[in-house]
Amino acid sequence: LSVQNRAENTRKAAVSMFGVGIPPAAHQQPNFQGYSGTAPPPKKTTKSYGPPEPAIKHVYNWRNSTWSKQECMVHLDHEPFQEGTLRVIFFLKDLSLPPDQQECVAKFSKNPMDDPLPAGYFLDVEMQGKAKAYADMFNSKLPPKRIDFVVPCVLEFKRRTARNGHGRLYMGVEQMIHGEYKKHSNNYGFVSPEDRNTLAVFSHFTFHASGQTLLICDIQGGDPYTDPQIHSADGSQRWGKADM
C-alpha cells in the first residue's frame, strides 16, 4: 500500500473505532481527520500545517508551582507524524515564540476519556516541571554533566471541540527536540547501556533529595530531556497511572 492509502486506512479505522477523532477547527476545511485509534500512523517528516488559529496557552511556573494563561496563535499539522504508548504526536508551530523557537510538538492522548477531563495534560506538565526542579537541584551539586528538561505547556484550542463534542480540545505542547531522540530509561529498571551514568545517577539523586518519597525515571529525548515519570513511595499514584 502507498503511504496515502495507509494513512486513509488508519483514518477510517480510527473513525470506526472511536467516532469523530479530532474535529477540524471551525474555519478549516474538513480534511483534517484526527487520529485516536490503536494502529500506528505512517511516520512522516514533512509538515502540512493548517492556517493559524487562536489558542490559550496554560503555562506552569515550576519555580513557584503556579499556573498562568496567555493567548496565542498556532499552526497545527493536519495529521500525526509519530506515536507513543499513550499519545499521538503532531507538528505544531507556536507563533507567540521567537521565530527560531516556534517549532513544537503537540501530544494528543489516545484515551477519549481525557477529552472532557483534561487534568491528565496538566498533570504531565506539572510532573515535567517537578523533574526540572530536581534537575536544577542536581546541577547545583556541580556534576560532570548537567541535565535539563523541556518546559511544556497545555494548549487549549479555541475553535476545536473535544472528541465527545463537549468542551474544547486540549493537547500537551513542548518545543521540538532536535538531534537524536533516545529512550534512556523506563519504569521497569531499564537503563540504556549506551549512555553515560548521568541519568541513572540523577534518578538515584531524586530518591534521596526527596527524602525517599519519590523517584524520577523513564527519561527520554536528547538534551534537554522530556517525558519523565515520577514514582511515589506511598503508592498514591499522585503522578498518574504510570506512578507505580
Side-chain angles (χ1 to χ4, degrees), residues 44-175:
K44 67 168 194 165
T45 56
T46 57
K47 302 175 179 69
S48 51
Y49 290 123
E53 58 182 291
I56 299 173
K57 186 158 53 173
H58 299 265
V59 180
Y60 183 67
N61 185 325
W62 57 273
R63 295 186 185 277
N64 58 19
S65 302
T66 59
W67 286 92
S68 61
K69 298 180 184 180
Q70 68 180 78
E71 301 277 340
C72 63
M73 297 293 290
V74 299
H75 290 286
L76 181 65
D77 204 321
H78 288 292
E79 59 186 6
F81 73 91
Q82 186 56 281
E83 72 164 329
T85 304
L86 302 176
R87 306 173 190 86
V88 288
I89 306 168
F90 294 80
F91 291 121
L92 180 135
K93 215 171 187 181
D94 182 349
L95 302 180
S96 70
L97 297 175
D100 62 343
Q101 299 175 27
Q102 292 180 356
E103 295 292 333
C104 298
V105 294
K107 301 177 181 181
F108 179 59
S109 175
K110 292 180 180 180
N111 185 357
M113 294 302 295
D114 287 340
D115 286 2
L117 299 170
Y121 293 109
F122 288 87
L123 184 64
D124 285 345
V125 171
E126 283 191 34
M127 183 156 48
Q128 200 146 316
K130 189 85 165 178
K132 189 172 178 66
Y134 274 98
D136 199 43
M137 293 169 57
F138 180 77
N139 293 336
S140 72
K141 307 299 182 183
L142 304 179
K145 181 173 172 57
R146 296 167 60 88
I147 69 170
D148 196 12
F149 287 88
V150 175
V151 179
C153 67
V154 177
L155 204 64
E156 176 185 349
F157 291 86
K158 297 178 72 172
R159 294 179 180 172
R160 296 184 189 272
T161 54
R163 276 170 289 196
N164 63 0
H166 301 288
R168 290 175 173 172
L169 186 76
Y170 290 80
M171 290 187 182
V173 172
E174 62 186 47
Q175 284 189 287

